[in-house]
Amino acid sequence: MQGIDLTEGLNYGVRMTIFGIVIITISGISAASGIGVLMSTLGYSVGINLGLSLRGINTTLLSVLGAILTITGIISLVSGLIALVYKLIVDSVSRGARAASNTQSQSRSS
């Protein structure tokens, strides 16, 4: 069995962690913005005042925008986490297949 050196493992772990943080951050911002817009159109105070005047905008349009942002955030979170797990599985399977191929070629040459 082929070992993995420490720097390669740390490098891979950092890249996967950064990818996960980016996914969570982007989808969280989208979902939180959507929920904030939905709550403000329903009359609830969300504690965030961006200085935007919502008086002239149709509340139905704002509700639809909030719902779209929320759904987009949730879908991007789920699909991003699935992609993260998929990449981990694909990388490990390809590394295992490469190691098996190298072992077979070494046993044939002996």
Side-chain angles (χ1 to χ4, degrees):
M1 186 168 149
Q2 184 178 1
I4 298 174
D5 61 345
L6 183 62
T7 57
E8 181 182 2
L10 286 174
N11 188 14
Y12 186 77
V14 167
R15 283 188 294 137
M16 295 295 275
T17 302
I18 290 172
F19 183 66
I21 289 170
V22 167
I23 289 170
I24 291 169
T25 302
I26 291 173
S27 61
I29 289 171
S30 176
S33 299
I35 291 171
V37 169
L38 277 173
M39 296 300 279
S40 67
T41 56
L42 294 175
Y44 295 103
S45 176
V46 291
I48 300 172
N49 187 4
L50 300 176
L52 300 174
S53 174
L54 304 178
R55 290 185 198 135
I57 301 175
N58 189 355
T59 56
T60 305
L61 181 64
L62 281 176
S63 297
V64 169
L65 175 67
I68 289 172
L69 280 172
T70 304
I71 291 170
T72 302
I74 292 170
I75 289 173
S76 65
L77 176 67
V78 170
S79 63
L81 292 178
I82 289 171
L84 188 69
V85 171
Y86 179 78
K87 176 160 177 41
L88 180 66
I89 292 171
V90 167
D91 288 347
S92 58
V93 167
S94 66
R95 186 168 180 96
R98 223 177 311 125
S101 173
N102 290 342
T103 304
Q104 285 179 350
S105 65
Q106 288 175 356
S107 65
R108 287 182 188 159
S109 64
S110 320

